[in-house]
Amino acid sequence: MTMNEQTNTPQRILIVGGGTAGWMTAALMVHHWAPKGVQISLLESSTIGIIGVGEGATPKMRRFFQTLGIPDQEWMPACNATYKCGIRFPQWSTRPGYESYYHPFFTMSDDASIRAFHHNVTLRQQNIDVQANPDWFFLSNWVAKKRCAPLPDPRSRYESDYAYHFDARLIGEFLRHWASARGVTHVVDTVTRVQQTESGDIAGVETEQHGLVDADFFVDCTGFANLLSGKTLGVPFMSYKPWLFNDRAVAMPTPLENPQSLPSETLSTAMKCGWSWKIPLTNRYGNGYVYSSDFIEPDAAERELRAHLQLTDDSVEARHLQMRVGRLARTWERNCVAIGLAQGFVEPLEATALMIVQDTVEQFIASFGTARALERQRDDFNDKINRVYDSIRDYIQMHYKLNTRTDTPYWVAARDNPNVSDSVAAILAIWDEGGDLLAEITRQRDRLAYSPTSWFCILGGMGRFPKKPRRATGKHQAVDPATARKQCMEMLRYFPDHRQAVDEMAKVTAI
Ligand SMILES: Cc1cc2nc3c(=O)[nH]c(=O)nc-3n(C[C@H](O)[C@H](O)[C@H](O)COP(=O)(O)OP(=O)(O)OC[C@H]3O[C@@H](n4cnc5c(N)ncnc54)[C@H](O)[C@@H]3O)c2cc1C
């Protein structure tokens, strides 16, 4: 690979693929590397479409736009975007009081509620009858329930972290304009063959109309096709099928029931053989059913989703998708890094895919900021990315291990699945024996992507507790959930209505 001697970066980079991953990569690279003279091109096919789903994010996406200096007002109206306070999980657990729980995004302002919540969960874990469903403790749950935007009035002195929902196609378009205006060369063509050098590196891609397009370094953003690192360089793909059964999805939009009142949370509802997402945008819902084809046929899944959405209009088209779930053994191989669906995919239960895109690009860029040998940088980078994927897989699998449904063989098999990582096995063992979960998570911190409170939320929220709790007495000093709730209610007045907030933003942008 030809390197710029002064900056230790590749000189000419070709990103192949113009889905959300391709354009996020182009935007971050041009932002960091254009000032260093690195030339960045993006080549995408006009005939091979993008996946066109992927409409929910994590709070990391805020950092993406902050890094690029793009305020919410600039991009959100252009992408029909809404605010997201967290994710609600109805019907995963049948335990009384725990039929639904909420995974909020946390901020420093949540410190007191986190302590109270940990305290109650620990008591309940030790068989004392106290309220331990996270819904009661976290303000963002109530902000979402009341359909407010997570934008507190500064007078409240409350800080609220948040993420977004957006139209997957529009965000790609927005970033294409943004990155092209800053120097990314955009080539529209289809790759027909990938050429390699004698040593095995990628030399260039042959295209239908532009002949051979070469570069020093290549980014494989070709989605599930994985044209460069998988098909050409032969990097093995590590399937997650033993841990996670879902391999398909069916997606369809629906109108908002009441356009005047806009939800600010994702709903992830358990279905017969998987789960459905419901994502509010400013003009419609994005919906889909992620399921396992070992347990249900695509037609039956579509019918179940239509019934769940109460969709009587047969003309609404359903899109059926296959998912390659797992990750490459090595994200960076030779002079090519894979990003997005080409690199790997864990089912979107916690909407983590674009977070990994961002993480991968940032870590990749940071690798070149050090003076270490290229092989060492690459190996460290690959180890880190693999850990991120595996730890997200573990957290996602925990949802299935904790489910208590018995209505279909799918849920029973997912719960009884003997394939779990050592990490998940240790967390479950400590939990079930009433041990110190915080200490266990701290012990494992280098391999866990989620915070201790997220683990408390899922274990507490799904209600995996001893069945016959003892009555709480004064000495347990459990936090009264009614007090926690009252405090949240008082804070709610500082949060604006979500619909009004996004409409106001759109008006300002239009001016
Ligand atoms: C059911 C489902 C739900 C999801 N939900 C979420 C979510 O809520 N949150 C989240 O973060 N992520 C989600 N994802 C993941 C998200 O959709 C993707 O991570 C994101 O869209 C990025 O996709 P991509 O750019 O890697 O691939 P794609 O969108 O598939 O883009 C591939 C690109 O490669 C190009 N290409 C392919 N072959 C060639 C060729 N021969 N020549 C030239 N160009 C080529 C195509 O033209 C296209 O531009 C979901 C995914 C699925 C399947």
Side-chain angles (χ1 to χ4, degrees), residues 16-22 43-46 48-57 168 189-192 221-225 227 249 277 279 290 321-323 339-342 345 348 351-355 357:
V16 183
T20 316
L43 188 155
E44 65 172 322
S45 168
S46 61
I48 303 170
I50 63 165
I51 190 115
V53 281
E55 306 198 316
D189 208 338
T190 300
V191 174
T192 51
C221 288
T222 59
F224 288 138
L227 206 58
W277 77 80
I279 288 185
V290 174
L321 302 158
Q322 292 194 29
M323 308 186 305
I339 296 180
L341 297 174
F345 181 56
T352 43
L354 296 177
M355 176 179 91
V357 167

Side-chain angles (χ1 to χ4, degrees), residues 368-388:
F368 288 95
T370 65
R372 275 185 297 161
L374 200 60
E375 287 72 28
R376 187 84 193 278
Q377 291 173 28
R378 191 190 55 209
D379 293 349
D380 284 357
F381 167 88
N382 283 335
D383 284 351
K384 275 190 208 150
I385 300 298
N386 289 352
R387 272 205 305 275
V388 169

Side-chain angles (χ1 to χ4, degrees), residues 55 147 165 251-259 261-267 277-288 309 316:
E55 306 198 316
R147 299 192 165 195
H165 305 112
M252 62 184 79
T254 51
L256 298 169
E257 312 88 6
N258 173 7
S261 167
L262 191 59
S264 48
E265 63 183 7
T266 302
L267 268 188
W277 77 80
K278 185 167 193 179
I279 288 185
L281 306 187
T282 53
N283 60 333
R284 64 162 169 86
Y285 282 113
N287 310 281
L309 297 172
V316 178

Side-chain angles (χ1 to χ4, degrees), residues 25-35 40 66-69 178 182:
T25 304
L28 284 171
M29 284 188 172
V30 79
H31 173 76
H32 287 283
W33 278 347
I40 296 151
Q66 279 165 358
T67 301
L68 300 181
W178 191 91
R182 281 153 187 83

Side-chain angles (χ1 to χ4, degrees), residues 449-468:
Y450 281 87
S451 70
T453 308
S454 285
W455 286 99
F456 274 84
C457 274
I458 189 168
L459 285 149
M462 299 273 270
R464 185 179 172 112
F465 292 117
K467 281 211 176 86
K468 291 193 179 148

